[in-house]
């Protein structure tokens, strides 16, 4: 069922990636602990995924925890891991019940063992899905970490890689590059997210903190995306010829 209320003729991106930033500031403004911001962020993430798949998006990738975030105070990290322990299966179950395949992007060896087990079990449950719909959660993810890991994989195999082969060695191997990358939380940077894959992604920045980024805000980002001309290095004349 499509609840597509956005403008008719809007080009829906195949793959949207989101940098979910601003949970902490959202909570601070309301005099709430950061953990409440993360909890609200997680709920919003699920709502946005449901909305995106309703609109016809094929892949949603969300940046949930970076390699650099692992240096945050242990209290905050424990709160984030507890969210996974207590809610991940239920929340992701709602998304995956639509035939959406789950993939975790990142070096999970950086996460606690019991959390890794939850993530792996959830992934395995969807391993046989082949609807062409996917959700990717970047946890313990850093693009530089990913690139260096891929380089070392190639060296270990004695392989000289092409661009296509190299892309296969990344955590996102086999997935299309993101068409649209959205960052909430006012910052205008990528913070080590999908640095190889973003070469020709359209970037969209929102001043809203992630827990307040609504379905309508996602519609706005998609409408803006739809107005962009993606030239991939070519001229406008070349584009109109094809
Ligand atoms: C993003 O929100 C979520 C994570 C990085 C885990 P932040 O926690 O970075 O929120 P701000 O940027 O401090 O507001
Ligand atoms: C980026 O947010 C990482 C995630 C949203 C998971 P940060 O809050 O870590 O980014 P910086 O530190 O402001 O660049
Ligand atoms: Mg932040």
């Amino acid at each position: 069922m499509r609840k597509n209320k956005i403008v008719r003729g809007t080009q829906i991106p195949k793959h949207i990636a989101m940098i979910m930033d601003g949970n902490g500031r959202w909570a601070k403004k309301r005099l709430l602990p950061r953990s409440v911001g993360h909890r609200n962020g997680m709920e919003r993430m699920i709502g946005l995924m449901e909305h995106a798949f309703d609109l016809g998006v094929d892949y949603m990738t969300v940046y949930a925890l970076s390699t650099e975030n692992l240096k945050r105070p242990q209290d905050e990290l424990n709160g984030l891991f507890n969210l996974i322990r207590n809610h991940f299966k239920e929340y992701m179950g709602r998304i995956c019940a639509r035939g959406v395949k789950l993939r975790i992007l990142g070096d999970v060896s950086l996460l606690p063992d019991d959390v890794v087990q939850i993530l792996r079990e959830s992934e395995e449950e969807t391993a046989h899905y082949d609807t062409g719909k996917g959700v990717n959660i970047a946890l313990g993810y850093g693009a530089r970490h990913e690139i260096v890991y891929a380089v070392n994989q190639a060296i270990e195999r004695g392989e000289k890689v092409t661009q296509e082969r190299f892309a296969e060695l990344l955590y996102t191997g086999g997935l299309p590059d993101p068409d649209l990358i959205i960052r909430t939380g006012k910052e205008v940077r990528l913070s080590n997210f999908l640095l190889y894959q973003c070469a020709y992604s359209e970037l969209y920045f929102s001043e809203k903190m992630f827990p307040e980024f609504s379905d309508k805000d996602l519609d706005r980002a998609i409408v803006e995306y739809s107005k962009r001309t993606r030239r991939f290095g070519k001229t406008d004349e070349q584009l109109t010829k094809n």
Side-chain angles (χ1 to χ4, degrees), residues 37-219:
H38 292 314
R39 173 73 200 261
N40 278 270
M42 188 177 192
E43 281 172 10
R44 192 74 288 267
M45 174 187 93
I46 298 298
L48 288 167
M49 285 176 181
E50 287 179 326
H51 185 58
F53 288 119
D54 280 346
L55 291 175
V57 169
D58 291 333
Y59 296 96
M60 276 291 277
T61 298
V62 294
Y63 199 11
L65 191 73
S66 71
T67 43
E68 290 73 22
N69 291 151
L70 292 165
K71 295 184 199 114
R72 287 196 180 183
Q74 198 55 48
D75 255 14
E76 178 163 352
L77 292 176
N78 288 341
L80 284 164
F81 296 139
N82 282 337
L83 273 180
I84 297 178
R85 290 183 179 108
N86 299 328
H87 303 289
F88 189 85
K89 283 204 167 179
E90 178 206 328
Y91 282 176
M92 287 316 300
R94 258 165 58 192
I95 301 299
C96 297
R98 302 160 163 251
V100 174
K101 191 178 197 135
L102 171 68
R103 192 191 291 197
I104 305 298
L105 312 177
D107 181 355
V108 292
S109 73
L110 303 171
L111 310 176
D113 290 345
D114 64 322
V115 167
V116 176
Q117 197 182 333
I118 291 170
L119 300 174
R120 288 298 182 223
E121 280 172 12
S122 306
E123 263 183 324
E124 273 161 32
E125 278 171 29
T126 70
H128 60 286
Y129 290 7
D130 64 353
T131 56
K133 300 272 175 190
V135 71
N136 312 299
I137 315 241
L139 273 165
Y141 175 89
R144 288 182 172 179
H145 195 89
E146 175 184 44
I147 289 167
V148 169
Y149 174 78
V151 167
N152 286 328
Q153 290 262 93
I155 291 171
E156 271 171 37
R157 297 175 195 200
E159 266 186 62
K160 192 171 174 187
V161 293
T162 58
Q163 290 186 20
E164 292 72 24
R165 176 65 188 136
F166 188 70
E168 278 173 24
L169 294 173
L170 300 172
Y171 295 125
T172 49
L175 300 172
D177 286 341
D179 298 297
L180 172 62
I181 298 183
I182 300 172
R183 181 177 186 140
T184 60
K186 271 191 183 160
E187 313 299 354
V188 185
R189 56 178 171 251
L190 290 172
S191 301
N192 206 11
F193 188 46
L194 302 178
L195 298 185
Y196 189 84
Q197 301 87 335
C198 76
Y200 272 102
S201 304
E202 294 299 325
L203 307 181
Y204 182 91
F205 297 94
S206 167
E207 304 233 320
K208 292 231 178 139
M209 299 299 126
F210 188 70
E212 63 196 7
F213 189 78
S214 65
D215 291 357
K216 272 223 159 67
D217 290 320
L218 181 61
D219 291 350

